[in-house]
């Protein structure tokens, strides 16, 4: 019975062009077991429902470096030496094959867990795979971003496009038959803008582009995530921090198991135990992770541009300098603060820009509405319960993409990307 349900769900995920309407997968046939979007976001898919993928040692891959902003050698402190060049990871087949670029989500490096999963998935299917860091990651900001102030989607896409061109130039003998592009979360939004840019630059002529759980209105998404940090969590007071609460739960969990096993199934198994996190605690965990990403972005952008908002402009930073005080200051600046203090002033100075609402329109999928509506090679896979979506977002996607949109009923934010049904649908999209 379970096998037949999965087969029905797979068919529902694959029939993307049967009508002008989005493919809405019903929960009964989908079979994804986590109905709580916070839990799905954190724990993702139970291991036995994931696809079988090759081991890392069975993949022909290597890390490579690009020097794209040599002037940063003289701007960044000495202890930033690891990110003065940009690292990417490439997995190659032993014969001519299509190449797929993977763009990571907010603040994530090329080797993020989702990028690693997607690499294994597409490598097994016969693709060359290039893993790229998000334009919002500290390494990309330091080594590849012209203005080191990510958030202007068009400019982030131009920086990403130069990285992709440099990757191809660095591997001239790699036999590539055609190019594909995908990205998850913010990387999905980046992929849309990169695809649009390629329509005029024509360096890759991407055959197909897949956006996985992208923000529609970027400001709505970051506001949703920022609010999670403000969640009131039972058990947290002036003497017990959120991190201590979670650590105590994990300690009791391992004591009950009798051993410590930090494997891929830890979070799912932990959430099935008596020590599981409550909705409020899971919301706080997701929001806190996002806040650390925001802090990294605000800190790195301020440091490179010497704006003096977090680090005094002439403050000497060496390998022995403690960055803790600056991290604490950066953590007080959420994404709204980063936009207000760093992105908008730069945007206005460079483009004679106007209000926040104008900026929001320019950096969201709204800006590409006509292109996305008319481009048959671009599709979206999203979740109805994704925590980054706001009112009207799914409606925009339905109207813009029509039958090129697949909406899954469950999965939270990217939690079901490693579910077999989703994996098969992703592969089928690029094969079709």
């Amino acid at each position: 019975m379970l096998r037949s349900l999965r087969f029905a769900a797979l068919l529902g995920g694959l029939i993307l062009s049967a009508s002008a309407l989005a493919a809405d997968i019903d929960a009964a046939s989908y079979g994804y077991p986590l109905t709580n979007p916070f839990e799905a976001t954190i724990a993702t898919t139970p291991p036995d429902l994931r696809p079988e993928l090759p081991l890392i040692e069975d993949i022909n891959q290597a890390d490579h470096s690009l020097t794209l902003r040599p002037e940063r050698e003289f701007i960044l402190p000495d202890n930033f030496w690891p990110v003065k060049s940009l690292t990417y990871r490439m997995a190659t087949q032993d014969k001519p094959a299509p190449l797929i670029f993977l763009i990571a989500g907010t603040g994530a490096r090329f080797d993020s867990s989702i990028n690693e999963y997607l690499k294994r998935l597409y490598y097994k299917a016969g693709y060359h795979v290039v893993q790229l860091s998000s334009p919002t990651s500290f390494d990309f900001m330091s080594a590849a971003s012209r203005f080191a102030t990510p958030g202007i989607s068009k400019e982030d896409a131009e920086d990403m496009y130069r990285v992709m061109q440099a990757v191809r130039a660095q591997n001239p003998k790699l036999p590539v038959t055609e190019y594909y592009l995908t990205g998850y979360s913010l990387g999905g939004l980046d992929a849309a803008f990169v695809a649009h840019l390629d329509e005029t630059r024509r360096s890759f002529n991407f055959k197909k582009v897949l956006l996985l759980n992208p923000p529609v209105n970027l400001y709505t998404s970051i506001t949703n995530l920022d609010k999670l940090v403000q969640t009131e969590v039972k058990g947290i007071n002036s003497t017990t921090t959120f991190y201590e609460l979670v650590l105590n739960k994990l300690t009791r969990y391992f004591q009950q198991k009798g051993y410590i096993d930090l494997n891929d199934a830890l979070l799912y198994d932990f959430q099935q135990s008596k020590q599981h996190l409550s909705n409020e605690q899971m919301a706080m965990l997701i929001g806190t992770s996002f806040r650390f990403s925001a802090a990294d972005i605000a800190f790195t952008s301020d440091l490179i541009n010497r704006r003096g908002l977090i680090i005094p402009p002439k403050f000497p930073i060496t390998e022995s300098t403690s960055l803790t005080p600056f991290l604490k200051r950066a953590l007080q600046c959420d994404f709204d603060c980063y936009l207000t203090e760093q992105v908008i002033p730069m945007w206005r100075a460079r483009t004679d820009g106007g209000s926040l609402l104008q900026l929001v329109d320019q950096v969201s999928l709204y800006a590409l509405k006509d292109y996305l509506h008319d481009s048959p090679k671009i599709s979206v896979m999203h979740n109805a319960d994704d925590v980054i979506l706001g009112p009207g977002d799914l409606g925009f996607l339905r109207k813009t993409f029509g039958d090129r949109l697949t909406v899954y009923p469950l999965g939270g934010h990217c939690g079901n990307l490693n579910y077999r049904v989703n994996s098969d649908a992703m592969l089928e999209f690029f094969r079709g």
Side-chain angles (χ1 to χ4, degrees):
M1 180 62 178
L2 181 59
R3 183 173 299 177
S4 64
L5 287 177
R6 289 176 185 162
F7 182 69
L10 173 59
L11 286 180
L14 299 186
I15 302 174
L16 301 179
S17 57
S19 70
L21 300 177
D24 282 85
I25 312 303
D26 69 281
S29 63
Y30 184 40
Y32 186 76
L34 300 182
T35 58
N36 184 311
F38 297 131
E39 192 168 29
T41 301
I42 294 171
T44 74
T45 304
D48 60 338
L49 297 181
R50 302 175 188 179
E52 292 186 11
L53 298 176
L55 299 174
I56 293 299
E57 52 264 32
D58 295 328
I59 296 176
N60 180 30
Q61 65 175 17
D63 291 353
H64 307 267
S65 295
L66 297 169
T67 301
L68 300 168
R69 314 299 312 176
E71 73 278 10
R72 297 278 160 81
E73 180 75 27
F74 308 100
I75 295 175
L76 290 167
D78 290 342
N79 54 345
F80 272 65
W81 64 265
V83 292
K84 290 182 181 180
S85 60
L86 182 69
T87 301
Y88 66 93
R89 182 166 293 168
M90 174 180 280
T92 57
Q93 305 289 336
D94 58 3
K95 58 186 178 182
L99 183 148
I100 185 167
F101 287 103
L102 311 178
I103 305 179
T106 306
R109 284 168 30 105
F110 67 93
D111 55 357
S112 69
S113 59
I114 295 181
N115 255 9
E116 281 292 297
Y117 157 72
L118 293 174
K119 182 262 305 292
R120 295 167 64 201
L121 178 70
Y122 291 119
Y123 184 84
K124 181 181 179 181
Y127 295 83
H128 305 304
V129 185
V130 174
Q131 298 169 240
L132 300 172
S133 296
S134 166
T136 57
S137 65
F138 70 92
D139 56 326
F140 193 103
M141 291 172 66
S142 300
S145 175
R146 290 163 297 160
F147 307 111
T149 311
I152 310 297
S153 300
K154 183 175 181 292
E155 293 181 350
D156 293 344
E158 291 176 357
D159 290 334
M160 180 62 71
Y161 202 73
R162 275 187 285 273
V163 169
M164 292 177 175
Q165 290 174 314
V167 167
R168 185 173 61 182
Q170 197 175 57
N171 300 274
K173 295 183 179 180
L174 184 67
V176 177
T177 57
E178 52 201 7
Y179 291 93
Y180 297 88
L181 175 63
T182 190
Y184 69 89
S185 190
L186 183 60
L189 177 68
D190 293 325
F193 277 84
V194 169
H196 183 250
L197 180 63
D198 188 59
E199 297 293 346
T200 55
R201 301 285 178 86
R202 295 291 180 182
S203 287
F204 301 101
N205 294 304
F206 295 112
K207 185 176 181 181
K208 289 203 171 185
V209 180
L210 181 59
L211 318 182
L212 300 170
N213 295 77
V216 175
N217 180 325
L218 183 58
Y219 189 70
T220 296
S221 295
I222 63 177
T223 300
N224 287 355
L225 291 166
D226 274 334
K227 286 179 179 177
L228 295 182
V229 184
Q230 303 163 15
T231 305
E232 292 186 9
V233 178
K234 183 179 180 180
I236 297 178
N237 50 44
S238 58
T239 59
T240 303
T241 68
F242 170 70
Y243 307 100
E244 289 171 331
L245 183 147
V246 174
L247 182 60
N248 288 337
K249 281 179 170 287
L250 283 170
T251 300
R252 289 193 293 271
Y253 165 74
F254 286 128
Q255 286 175 340
Q256 291 165 4
K257 286 180 69 74
Y259 61 92
I260 295 177
D261 183 13
L262 295 173
N263 60 32
D264 198 34
L266 165 66
L267 285 174
Y268 178 78
D269 189 47
F270 173 69
Q271 278 303 105
Q272 311 312 306
S273 74
K274 293 181 179 180
Q275 301 302 327
H276 67 272
L277 300 179
S278 68
N279 278 355
E280 293 78 14
Q281 292 163 354
M282 288 188 287
M284 177 70 86
L285 183 60
I286 294 168
T288 301
S289 174
F290 187 69
R291 178 61 66 83
F292 271 101
S293 294
D296 267 347
I297 295 168
F299 171 84
T300 306
S301 185
D302 183 68
L303 174 65
I304 294 174
N305 290 287
R306 305 292 180 178
R307 294 187 175 116
L309 298 170
I310 295 173
I311 305 169
K314 296 183 180 180
F315 189 90
I317 296 181
T318 66
E319 292 190 27
S320 60
T321 302
S322 172
L323 299 180
T324 301
F326 306 122
L327 175 61
K328 289 181 178 178
R329 190 177 303 175
L331 283 170
Q332 296 172 2
C333 186
D334 59 16
F335 255 103
D336 192 44
C337 160
Y338 167 69
L339 285 175
T340 302
E341 293 190 352
Q342 301 203 54
V343 176
I344 291 179
M346 184 203 73
W347 172 65
R348 285 175 174 163
R350 293 193 57 254
T351 66
D352 196 27
S355 67
L356 173 62
L357 290 177
Q358 289 177 312
L359 176 62
V360 168
D361 281 339
Q362 290 186 21
V363 303
S364 300
L365 290 184
Y366 304 146
L368 303 178
K369 180 179 179 181
D370 292 340
Y371 167 67
L372 297 173
H373 180 273
D374 298 336
S375 179
K377 68 182 179 183
I378 303 178
S379 287
V380 175
M381 293 182 183
H382 226 305
N383 300 327
D385 66 347
D386 196 321
V387 297
I388 73 167
L389 292 176
D393 285 354
L394 276 179
F396 171 87
L397 293 175
R398 293 182 196 280
K399 185 176 180 180
T400 303
F401 290 93
D403 62 0
R404 291 176 287 119
L405 168 67
T406 302
V407 180
Y408 296 98
L410 304 169
H413 186 57
C414 298
N416 56 347
L417 293 183
N418 57 352
Y419 181 39
R420 276 201 295 266
V421 171
N422 292 65
S423 303
D424 290 340
M426 286 187 276
L427 291 175
E428 187 63 25
F429 166 75
F430 285 112
R431 289 178 184 141

